[in-house]
Amino acid sequence: MTAIWAGIDAGKTHHHCVAIDESGRRLLSRRVANDEPELLVLLAEVLALGDDVTWGIDLADGCAALAIAILLNHDQPVHYISGRAIHRASESYRGEGKTDAKDAAVIADQVRIRRDLHSLRTGDETVTDLKILTGRRMDLVADRTRTVNRLRAQLSGIFPGLERALDLTNTGPLTLLTGYQTPAALRRLGTKRLETWLRNRKVVRADQLAETAVQAAERQHTSLPGEKLTAQMVHTLAEEVMALNQQVAELDKLIEARFRDHQTFEVITSMPGLGIILGAEFLAATGGDMTLFGTPDRLAGFGGVAPVPRDSGKISGNLRRPQRYSRRLQRVFYTSALFSIRRCEESRRFYDRKRAEGKRHTQAVLALARRRVNVLWALLRDGRCYEPTPPVALAA
């Protein structure tokens, strides 16, 4: 049986594929369009070179999704190797130049000699949908944050007192700014009429908001340059933030509905601090299949909550934050640990104990997140929901 290793350097419009034998000799090197007929021809050409082909690729989704799907549909083993790993490995190969052909050859050779690469599998439809939905939600939240910051900057340029007094992440203040943006306008309207205007738009605690806004207006009687145009921009930005809030809320409903279809929904959401959104992001980042990681230690390392040693010579016990990990998954672990401190007595006691040991807040939360990875791993492995007191194993 002839063994062949094929590396694909993925691109948006074209990929480059290099196939090598067990001695590292190139058997094929060519550019192929990111198009199904072309990829099927490439697959046939590589399979004609040997009986056993192992593939490697430097992207796990995006523009490489079509190539990966074709290979998996034809029962081909596909391994993922990151761009960082390829860049570092290429330094040990001959030549300083960088080309698609060289990168593809490095991928093929790394797949040939390494045994620790991540194998790609056909994705669960629910997990794929959650990955798309949560990714879109992250984009919308980032857009909302940028828009709120622009809104604050514009409002502080003409009415700093009101900007300090309002929480522009809430619907009520945003509704207020869609109608009134300047001190003079608020003074002319008055507290009572402003309260009525807000109540007609279903603003919660309209009386408090109206009083706060008019009090801020009474403290500023100076009209600043560009006030009229800036007020129009504040109005527009406030409407944009409200529209983004509506889009996020609608997306949250879609995420919850899709997340509930997955068999791990009850298990994941039973963990204190892991609600609908964070649980869906965890599932999107990991796929929910813990066998892909092998151990909870590998899951913790992938999530960036496990320190890595940096020892040399006589120096030992030197730990540092890992550089290669999923930022998205780390945010899920860290944020859920923060929430659990407020909602779970066991998490609070663990956090307080780490603080008493002299650890800083961030270190204590990371330590808690690491401990929670073990718990979540065990729950998913056993298919059971979280209980404050774990069940006692019965004696045989």
Side-chain angles (χ1 to χ4, degrees), residues 8-10 14-18 31 98-105:
I8 298 178
D9 181 57
H14 290 81
H15 308 316
H16 198 102
C17 178
V18 170
R31 196 167 181 247
K98 182 188 183 304
T99 63
D100 293 343
K102 180 180 179 180
D103 288 344

Side-chain angles (χ1 to χ4, degrees), residues 133-143 281 328 331:
L133 291 172
T134 54
R136 174 58 178 164
R137 187 182 189 277
M138 291 175 64
D139 291 340
L140 288 176
V141 171
D143 291 342
E281 290 188 1
R328 183 178 187 180
R331 188 181 68 83

Side-chain angles (χ1 to χ4, degrees), residues 41-88:
V41 171
L42 173 67
L43 175 61
E45 291 178 355
V46 175
L47 291 177
L49 298 175
D51 304 316
D52 182 20
V53 182
T54 303
W55 299 78
I57 195 164
D58 61 343
L59 290 176
D61 51 20
C63 59
L66 177 60
I68 294 172
I70 290 174
L71 293 174
L72 294 178
N73 290 341
H74 286 81
D75 299 323
Q76 297 295 300
V78 185
H79 299 279
Y80 166 71
I81 179 169
S82 67
R84 180 194 292 266
I86 298 168
H87 174 70
R88 291 183 173 178

Side-chain angles (χ1 to χ4, degrees), residues 195-210:
E195 179 183 344
T196 302
W197 186 86
L198 292 171
R199 288 189 187 280
N200 291 337
R201 285 153 182 80
K202 298 180 174 57
V203 173
V204 180
R205 292 189 290 274
D207 54 341
Q208 299 179 15
L209 179 58

